[in-house]
Amino acid sequence: MNIEARIVSKVQKALLELYDTDMASEKIQVQRTRKDFTGDFTVVVFPFLGFTKRPPEQTGEEIGQFLKEKVDEISDFNVIKGFLNLIIGNDFWLRFLNSMHQRGHIYDFALESGQGKIVVEYSSPNTNKPLHLGHIRNNLLGFSISRILEATGHEVKKVNLVNDRGIHICKSMLAWQKWGQGETPESKGVKGDHLVGDYYVLFDQEYKRQVAELTEKGYTREEAEKEAPLMKEARQMLHRWEQDDAQTVELWKKMNGWVLEGFEQTYQALGIDFDRVYYESQVYKLGKEQVQKGLEAGAFFTGKDGSVWADMADEALDQKLLLRSDGTSVYITQDIGTAIQRYQEFDFDQHIYVVGNEQKYHFQVLKILLGKLGYEWAENLHHLAYGMVELPEGKMKSREGTVVDADDLIDEMLQTAETMTRESGKVGDFSDAEKNRIYHSIGLGALKYFILKVDPKKNMTFDPKESVDFNGNTGPFIQYSYARINSLIQKAGERNISVPEQVKASTPINDKEIQLIKLIHQFPSFIQDAASEMNPAVIANFVYELAREFNQFYHEYSVLSAEDEQLVQLRMVLSIQVSRVIREAMWLLGIDLPERM
RNA sequence: GGUCCUGUAGCUCAGCUGGAUAGAGCAACGGCCUUCUAAGCCGUAGGUCCCAGGUUCGAAUCCUGGCAGGAUCACCA
């Protein structure tokens, strides 16, 4: 049990003994004492006044007195207005630090194993164009939240559902067939996903031209869009694909292969991976059967033209199409099928879908439909709906060419990292391989941190200028803090300063040191919060605060040349523990740390 | 029009299930490297927490109603 929980239970006891009142522990507020007051934890006494029948100051005094006598860790207290500030004795913090020092992972004690199995679906790209900034947010969130859930004792399965079929892929295929002249990623020297994306753009340009031509001839816009020869051809191609036409399938396999290879490179650069990859081409039919079953069971109904619908009037929603009149399935039908498949495969306790917030309605409906089919686990599906990434000049629009390409962005980050590092002149003696590793850590660290530090559900503005800034609340700031501690530890070794197994109980600790130990102490509860809110930003903000706090300490006090031996040992142990927490917090975010920078 | 999300310093964001004088970074200005990495540290300046009511001992936080921005309500995915 952590110290806060202990205080709550002791306050509860105090209320019972002093005022004969049994108060629920959730109603007792214990919080960190604000920096401008003395104390470590604060009990808010206002809620107790109803039954203590005493003014706030007196109530605080009485409870404070009780706690000081009955709780060893509490060495003193003070009362200001209705706030009872408790002071925890140094020996408690020292004991805590020592216990930390002997542990493996720090987040171990956030970890209660056997918390259940969770499937996290993320990334889910279409195979007709390369990844962009929006996908990066998705990938980073999915990957980080998976690690956070693992740290809280869940068994996590990371899955990707690649949308490798449909009309959009046919568009690229058609354009390549018409104008590609056998071009390949190798022959052209570009990544496969970019090559295919280029043909998608080509299709769109030509298609627009045809539509314009037709509207000039007197077609309405809608007619023109439908009748444009290119679109007709694309639809025919999709039809052929669905008929398993050998030539079409071969072309599809070839171009999908190019794209997937390109994606793989991007994933690798981002440092993310999956336990299982699904392809829509293989699972898109799964839902039909389920819908048929539901139809037979009376959960759904048939329209006049043979299409199948669900009525969601009970949920105050409209009707939803599940199968088209020609019997083919729509998007939601597929998701019904894959959800059931995954439940059978993994027997999950929860399933998280990391998908943009524009699909909120979709997932709301998905849960309802699975409920109608009688699956109680439908309520264990969660949609982690993240906001869109906007640019300072507004939304990213592929049509206007304002999308930020993932690979370009990564390159730019690496370039900047290299330039900045060169200018600092700190890695002169490194091998090229080492230097590249460092540029990669820093460049990607900056990008990842920039994106993960904001609350997922909010839309965020991505300012390229700001993202490339390595000062302030950034990934490199934290990496730098870490590298400095690391160097400290190296130096200690060179100077034959040994790190003790235990810090001596009598060692005096100053406020800054206590502040740092307190932060470390809170790490597990931040992990819990991040997990329950599905929000990596909680971790990001925490580790930033820790790094900032440490930098202040580092600036103000000397570790290796502290006044006496005991202090050197305390500060060494403290520094090591801080670096461990930074490392583990950054690991939860999926951000690498260079040992030197 | 219905539903959902967001609105905090010039800009980008924190602010936990209501708690003390609302916090960081960037940008601006001024300091600190003969001392463990200055990608750092310190200071100055900057606020009608969108508006109006309500609940409460207490509201940036909860409720209601506005306003502004965004998303969504396809036989698209």
Side-chain angles (χ1 to χ4, degrees):
Chain A
M1 195 187 328
N2 71 7
I3 183 82
E4 278 170 271
R6 286 203 44 163
I7 292 172
V8 168
S9 88
K10 293 296 177 181
V11 170
Q12 209 171 12
K13 206 165 162 197
L15 296 177
L16 198 59
E17 290 195 16
L18 296 173
Y19 312 109
D20 202 27
T21 302
D22 195 4
M23 197 171 200
S25 58
E26 307 87 65
K27 299 220 156 193
I28 297 169
Q29 298 178 54
V30 175
Q31 52 204 243
R32 293 162 68 187
T33 302
R34 292 176 57 116
K35 276 184 189 152
D36 20 338
F37 296 91
T38 50
D40 297 305
F41 295 98
T42 296
V43 182
V44 185
V45 304
F46 292 108
F48 312 148
L49 302 183
F51 51 81
T52 65
K53 310 272 193 249
R54 289 166 174 80
E57 288 81 0
Q58 195 184 338
T59 305
E61 285 291 335
E62 288 175 2
I63 298 171
Q65 205 50 250
F66 180 95
L67 294 175
K68 188 178 169 183
E69 280 164 25
K70 301 284 167 71
V71 185
D72 291 345
E73 294 90 333
I74 296 171
S75 63
D76 207 351
F77 70 95
N78 65 76
V79 180
I80 297 169
K81 296 199 281 183
F83 300 92
L84 167 59
N85 300 318
L86 303 170
I87 295 161
I88 305 294
N90 286 3
D91 50 334
F92 171 81
W93 298 120
L94 268 183
R95 272 206 311 281
F96 171 76
L97 184 64
N98 278 328
S99 76
M100 264 315 53
H101 191 47
Q102 286 162 340
R103 254 173 227 273
H105 283 287
I106 286 182
Y107 58 74
D108 275 358
F109 58 133
L111 191 155
E112 303 160 50
S113 60
Q115 294 296 295
K117 194 176 284 186
I118 303 185
V119 175
V120 181
E121 180 191 296
Y122 63 99
S123 203
S124 310
N126 291 349
T127 55
N128 63 323
K129 48 179 186 275
L131 270 28
H132 59 70
L133 185 49
H135 295 112
I136 292 186
R137 191 178 196 190
N138 181 309
N139 287 323
L140 298 181
L141 280 172
F143 189 71
S144 174
I145 205 68
S146 297
R147 284 198 165 165
I148 290 167
L149 291 168
E150 271 171 8
T152 50
H154 296 91
E155 186 186 335
V156 176
K157 291 290 171 199
K158 295 173 284 185
V159 309
N160 187 2
L161 177 58
V162 178
N163 183 9
D164 59 350
R165 55 155 235 121
I167 189 77
H168 43 287
I169 287 103
C170 289
K171 290 177 183 175
S172 295
M173 284 158 62
L174 186 66
W176 183 84
Q177 204 174 44
K178 280 185 173 314
W179 306 302
Q181 296 172 335
E183 198 171 68
T184 66
E186 292 78 29
S187 77
K188 209 187 174 196
V190 292
K191 277 180 79 214
D193 48 341
H194 288 264
L195 184 78
V196 172
D198 289 344
Y199 283 101
Y200 186 75
V201 171
L202 211 58
F203 175 96
D204 201 54
Q205 287 168 350
E206 191 59 21
Y207 171 59
K208 272 199 189 116
R209 213 182 48 75
Q210 290 185 353
V211 169
E213 232 174 63
L214 289 175
T215 31
E216 234 160 83
K217 281 187 190 155
Y219 284 75
T220 66
R221 184 157 193 90
E222 209 174 319
E223 282 167 353
E225 282 174 357
K226 233 176 174 171
E227 293 302 315
L230 216 44
M231 186 54 89
K232 277 183 164 172
E233 273 189 84
R235 272 199 300 270
Q236 282 161 12
M237 193 175 240
L238 179 62
H239 189 69
R240 284 204 301 279
W241 183 87
E242 290 188 351
Q243 307 296 100
D244 275 332
D245 172 67
Q247 235 184 328
T248 310
V249 169
E250 198 190 332
L251 174 62
W252 170 81
K253 274 189 182 154
K254 174 160 67 182
M255 293 185 69
N256 260 325
W258 292 346
V259 174
L260 293 175
E261 219 178 293
F263 285 173
E264 192 46 43
Q265 283 178 37
T266 309
Y267 288 148
Q268 262 178 30
L270 284 174
I272 63 154
D273 58 19
F274 305 94
D275 299 308
R276 181 101 157 73
V277 179
Y278 297 90
Y279 299 91
E280 274 199 12
S281 57
Q282 288 164 18
V283 298
Y284 78 104
K285 287 176 180 157
L286 284 176
K288 279 169 90 165
E289 212 178 299
Q290 301 295 338
V291 171
Q292 286 300 341
K293 274 196 219 159
L295 194 57
E296 284 156 27
F300 307 135
F301 69 93
T302 316
K304 279 179 193 137
D305 56 2
S307 52
V308 179
W309 298 77
D311 182 20
M312 301 184 295
D314 293 349
E315 287 82 12
L317 292 173
D318 225 334
Q319 300 182 338
K320 180 77 188 174
L321 179 88
L322 300 176
L323 291 177
R324 297 190 186 96
S325 47
D326 64 4
T328 56
S329 60
V330 293
Y331 181 43
I332 194 121
T333 322
Q334 300 174 36
D335 266 342
I336 292 172
T338 55
I340 294 167
Q341 183 197 37
R342 284 182 205 162
Y343 186 75
Q344 289 165 349
E345 194 175 342
F346 296 114
D347 190 27
F348 58 73
D349 296 281
Q350 285 182 70
H351 190 315
I352 295 171
Y353 293 89
V354 182
V355 178
N357 63 10
E358 72 273 14
Q359 296 198 33
K360 274 191 131 164
Y361 178 73
H362 173 79
F363 285 100
Q364 190 189 350
V365 170
L366 179 63
K367 281 174 82 160
I368 292 170
L369 296 180
L370 285 165
K372 280 188 188 298
L373 287 170
Y375 297 109
E376 295 130 39
W377 48 262
E379 61 187 282
N380 300 328
L381 304 187
H382 304 288
H383 177 201
L384 171 44
Y386 60 90
M388 55 187 4
V389 186
E390 290 165 8
L391 299 171
E393 55 273 17
K395 284 189 207 170
M396 291 197 294
K397 297 231 172 80
S398 49
R399 272 171 254 128
E400 291 163 27
T402 55
V403 271
V404 176
D405 179 79
D407 295 316
D408 291 351
L409 180 58
I410 291 169
D411 284 347
E412 194 188 333
M413 297 307 289
L414 295 180
Q415 280 299 329
T416 309
E418 183 169 347
T419 312
M420 298 287 286
T421 307
R422 283 235 164 96
E423 279 172 11
S424 79
K426 287 177 180 171
V427 292
D429 56 329
F430 284 31
S431 71
D432 284 353
E434 264 178 302
K435 281 182 189 165
N436 283 328
R437 260 208 307 281
I438 289 174
Y439 304 151
H440 193 270
S441 295
I442 297 175
L444 266 293
L447 176 60
K448 290 181 180 185
Y449 186 85
F450 188 86
I451 287 172
L452 288 174
K453 77 175 172 186
V454 342
D455 186 341
K457 70 170 180 286
K458 289 188 176 174
N459 287 356
M460 64 172 289
T461 308
F462 184 86
D463 186 341
K465 277 206 296 285
E466 203 184 321
S467 72
V468 136
D469 190 344
F470 291 175
N471 302 314
N473 186 359
T474 64
F477 170 88
I478 295 159
Q479 292 172 319
Y480 175 74
S481 311
Y482 175 82
R484 247 184 0 183
I485 300 175
N486 208 54
S487 148
L488 199 61
I489 296 167
Q490 297 289 324
K491 283 252 158 59
E494 288 164 19
R495 297 187 193 178
N496 286 320
I497 296 173
S498 64
V499 178
E501 306 246 321
Q502 290 279 304
V503 177
K504 286 205 185 71
S506 58
T507 311
I509 330 179
N510 66 42
D511 286 350
K512 212 70 204 167
E513 289 154 354
I514 290 176
Q515 194 63 33
L516 284 167
I517 299 173
K518 262 196 253 182
L519 276 172
I520 296 173
H521 180 78
Q522 286 177 303
F523 184 37
S525 71
F526 277 101
I527 299 176
Q528 294 289 7
D529 289 352
S532 60
E533 292 170 32
M534 298 193 289
N535 182 2
V538 170
I539 302 290
N541 289 312
F542 163 79
V543 71
Y544 172 63
E545 192 185 344
L546 179 63
R548 200 159 46 90
E549 203 72 46
F550 185 83
N551 285 341
Q552 288 169 10
F553 163 76
Y554 180 92
H555 182 259
E556 201 169 337
Y557 302 99
S558 178
V559 176
L560 301 179
S561 324
E563 299 88 276
D564 62 64
E565 175 92 9
Q566 271 193 31
L567 270 185
V568 174
Q569 299 204 331
L570 166 73
R571 290 178 186 169
M572 276 306 294
V573 169
L574 180 57
S575 300
I576 290 168
Q577 295 315 311
V578 168
S579 82
R580 275 178 52 182
V581 174
I582 291 176
R583 196 191 313 135
E584 289 174 18
M586 293 294 261
W587 188 84
L588 293 174
L589 298 175
I591 299 176
D592 289 340
L593 291 164
E595 297 301 312
R596 281 212 275 169
M597 66 184 274

